[in-house]
Every structure is written in C-alpha cells, then in structure tokens.
C-alpha cells in the first residue's frame, strides 16, 4: 500500500478517532493521515497537532462522502457509526481496507452482508468489540498458558463520566434500545439471557460491587470461538470507577476470569484485572491503531479481502505490549491465580 496515500479517519475529531490518530503518528511518523469530521476547523486543529496530516469535511449521507473525486486514500476508518454504510461502500468501491467500531453486535448484520456480497472487494475489520477488541486480545493473552479453556467471564466497569463524546453516548443508547438481553455461551450453545439471569454484580479493583448485567457484545463469540470455551459471559456495569472513588480521574477496569486446565491437564484458573488510570479512551484508541497498522501491512502480512475480527488478525502479546505502553497494567484479583 503506497504510503503517499492517506488513512481517512471518519470521526477523526472524536475521542477514539483522535486518540488512534495520535498513536499512529507516534508509531509511524511518516504515515499520512486525514482527519475527517463535520467541523472543518476542529478537524484542522487535530491535524495540526498531529503533523503530516490533513483535514477535510465529510457527509455520511452521500455515497462519495462529499470527498473530492481526485483524492485517494489507503484505508477508511469509521471511528463513528457509519449509519448509511457509505464509508464501507466507499472503501469497497476503491478496494480499501475498512475498520469500524460502532456497530456493536446488534448492528453488524448489514456490514457482514455487504462484505459477503462483495467478498473480494476489500478487507473489512469488524472491531465493534469492547474498546475495539483490546479486551478480547488481553483475555487471549491471559489464556496463553492454558491447555484447555472451560470458561471465560469478563466483568467491565465503565465510569459514568467516561462514556466518550456524543457519538459514544449515542452508541450506548442505540445498543440498549436494540436489546436488553445478553448473549452468553452456555454449555457450548450461544444463548440469549434476560432478567434475572442477565443480572450480575460487577466488582471493581477495590472490591466495590456495581449492579451490572450480561450484554450483547461481540467479545462473547470472539472469545468463545477463539478458545473453544463452552462457557463465556461478559457482564457490564456503568457507575463510579475505583479511580473516581479515590478522588482521581475516571479509571478503566475489566476483570478477566478464566478456568480450565494447563497443558498437562491439571485444573488451573486465573483472575486478573486490566486497568488504566486514564479510562477507556487509550484502550479504544490502541485497538483502532492496531487494526489500521495491520490492515495497511505495516506489521504482518497483507490482509486478504473479506470479513475479519481483531483476534483473527492481531497477536495478543503484541497488543498487550502496546496497551502497556499507554499505561495499561494487569493486576491480580483477590484470590486470583
């Protein structure tokens, strides 16, 4: 992929898009970036801070995104909900890798169908997982010493002040409108659960419990199918994080519990938290940046056209290394292995 062509970041002025752009600039200083948003002045400010970046306006209601016909790009990143799928269609028409993070499990069907109908047009990275797939990759990294994984349980706390900008808040509202049921894998079967089975107590790193629930999220099928674990569940709570209870900024905390056997067949289990003192933004930004890096062939082999997920393209150990560079850490949960 010619590096003279720019990565087009739709929603590049938002938290996730701007954060991913900053990481890509740090990792690949010569990689051209185009920050696309509705407000050109704001996009220009983000581009100026990055250097080697340009700014443009977009119109997601138009098939051409409102972009000049003579502009060429190396990839399209939808760091917001591509509600008309014009960003995806633009990428397919031009044979460009495409990455999206805002469809959620409940809205990926149009993306998947569009990708299937034109399977040879472009690689599509469906990264509408929690924090753009970084939690899945962290869990898979934790599972590396298991010979067999029997169960995976994720418990995520999102601080109520850390839901992102307007686009992030709109995503949460849209997903909760689509379904209040949670998706779990139970005894090898993907199953919808409702109250009271959907309810859960999600504990932060300081032991404080928050009322949470199982949610419909792509992390469940991704983890289940990557590990063959017959029991997988992702519980989610919105409330005050441990960081804010200490009078600090909102923190990010996800508990990862795994049970199974080691490579010799002996029972093992582990319980760890993935935490970040700066909240969810660094993890989401890292997930996007890792996906772009891989799609462009800046790390690893060229990605073939078709539908992909973060765990199908990205090395968990490398992802964790990049997360730790941003300030993320693992800590053992009380009683965890």
């Amino acid at each position: 992929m010619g590096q003279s062509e720019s990565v087009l970041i739709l929603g590049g002025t938002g938290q996730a898009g701007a954060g991913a752009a900053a990481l890509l600039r740090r990792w690949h200083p010569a990689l051209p970036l185009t920050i696309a948003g509705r407000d050109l002045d704001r996009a220009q400010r983000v581009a100026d801070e990055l250097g080697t970046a340009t700014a443009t306006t977009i119109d997601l209601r138009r098939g051409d995104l409102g972009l000049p016909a003579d502009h060429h790009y190396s990839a399209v990143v939808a760091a917001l909900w591509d509600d008309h799928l014009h960003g995806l269609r633009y990428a397919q028409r031009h044979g460009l890798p495409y990455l999206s993070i805002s469809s959620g499990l409940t809205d990926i069907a149009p993306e998947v169908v569009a990708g299937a109908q034109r399977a040879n047009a472009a690689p599509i990275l469906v990264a509408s997982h929690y924090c753009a797939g970084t939690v899945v990759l962290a869990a898979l990294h934790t599972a590396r010493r298991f010979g067999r994984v029997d169960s995976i349980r994720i418990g995520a706390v999102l601080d109520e002040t850390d839901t992102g900008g307007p686009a992030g808040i709109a995503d949460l509202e849209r997903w909760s409108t689509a379904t209040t049921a949670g998706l779990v894998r139970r005894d090898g079967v993907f199953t919808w659960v409702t109250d009271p089975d959907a309810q859960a107590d999600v504990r932060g790193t300081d032991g404080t419990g928050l009322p949470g629930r199982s949610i419909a999220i792509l992390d469940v099928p991704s983890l289940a199918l990557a590990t063959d674990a017959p029991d997988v569940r992702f519980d989610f709570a919105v409330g005050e994080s441990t960081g804010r209870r200490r009078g600090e900024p909102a923190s990010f905390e996800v508990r990862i519990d795994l049970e199974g056997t080691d490579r010799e067949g002996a029972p093992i289990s582990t319980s760890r938290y993935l935490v970040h003192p700066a909240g969810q933004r660094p993890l989401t930004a890292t997930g996007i940046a890792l996906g772009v890096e891989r799609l462009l062939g800046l790390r690893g082999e060229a990605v073939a056209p078709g539908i992909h997920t973060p765990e199908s393209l990205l090395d968990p150990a490398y992802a964790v290394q990049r997360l730790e560079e941003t300030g993320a850490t693992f800590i053992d949960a009380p009683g965890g292995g």
Side-chain angles (χ1 to χ4, degrees):
M1 191 73 64
Q3 287 208 8
S4 60
E5 298 173 345
S6 184
V7 178
L8 178 65
I9 305 178
L10 310 177
T13 60
Q15 288 191 14
L23 286 175
L24 288 168
R25 173 56 61 249
R26 188 183 312 159
W27 299 351
H28 303 285
L31 178 67
L33 303 169
T34 295
I35 305 302
R38 286 175 294 188
D39 184 333
L40 183 59
D41 289 340
R42 187 177 173 190
Q44 190 63 58
R45 285 196 298 272
V46 174
D48 289 344
E49 290 174 5
L50 291 167
T52 322
T54 56
T56 189
T57 56
I58 52 167
D59 185 348
L60 291 175
R61 298 167 298 181
R62 292 178 50 166
D64 62 0
L65 302 177
L67 295 167
D70 60 349
H71 284 211
H72 301 284
Y73 300 97
S74 59
V76 178
V77 177
L80 41 59
W81 189 36
D82 186 9
D83 55 356
H84 288 72
L85 289 189
H86 286 152
L88 173 56
R89 290 303 213 186
Y90 182 93
Q92 288 181 312
R93 282 198 304 275
H94 294 87
L96 306 177
Y98 174 85
L99 182 154
S100 68
I101 65 166
S102 294
S103 296
L105 182 144
T106 53
D107 283 325
I108 63 164
E111 285 179 1
V112 171
V113 171
Q117 288 179 350
R118 301 187 62 185
N120 297 319
I124 297 170
L125 177 51
V126 178
S128 291
H129 303 63
Y130 196 54
C131 294
T134 52
V135 171
V136 166
L137 295 166
L140 293 177
H141 181 65
T142 301
R144 70 195 184 284
R145 67 187 181 96
F146 283 68
R148 186 188 74 226
V149 180
D150 294 328
S151 73
I152 302 174
R153 185 154 185 168
I154 309 294
V157 174
L158 178 66
D159 195 286
E160 58 205 351
T161 67
D162 189 32
T163 54
I169 294 170
D171 286 343
L172 289 174
E173 291 176 348
R174 192 177 74 255
W175 299 335
S176 64
T177 299
T179 180
T180 57
L183 180 72
V184 303
R185 194 184 204 190
R186 182 186 292 162
D187 297 327
V189 178
F190 290 103
T191 304
W192 293 101
V193 293
T194 57
D195 290 338
D197 290 345
Q199 295 175 347
D201 180 50
V202 181
R203 297 200 168 270
T205 53
D206 64 355
T208 301
L210 292 172
R213 60 186 302 112
S214 168
I215 59 172
I217 194 165
L218 280 167
D219 300 54
V220 171
S222 279
L223 286 171
L225 297 173
T227 64
D228 285 329
D231 291 286
V232 181
R233 179 173 173 131
F234 190 114
D235 295 322
F236 180 68
V238 178
E240 188 177 41
S241 64
T242 299
R244 204 152 59 87
R245 276 193 295 274
R246 289 196 299 252
E248 299 168 1
S251 60
F252 171 91
E253 44 196 329
V254 166
R255 178 166 171 154
I256 301 170
D257 292 304
L258 291 92
E259 295 181 358
T261 63
D262 64 17
R263 300 192 184 282
E264 285 70 48
I268 58 171
S269 63
T270 182
S271 297
R272 299 203 296 172
Y273 281 96
L274 174 64
V275 299
H276 200 297
Q280 56 81 21
R281 176 179 176 174
L283 289 97
T284 304
T286 301
I288 297 171
L290 287 168
V292 172
E293 181 182 58
R294 183 72 174 84
L295 287 170
L296 290 178
L298 297 172
R299 179 180 175 84
E301 300 175 357
V303 177
I307 298 285
H308 304 273
T309 54
E311 74 280 1
S312 72
L313 294 182
L314 299 170
D315 172 26
Y318 173 65
V320 167
Q321 173 193 326
R322 287 300 200 187
L323 287 171
E324 290 174 338
E325 288 173 4
T326 74
T329 56
F330 285 100
I331 60 174
D332 289 335

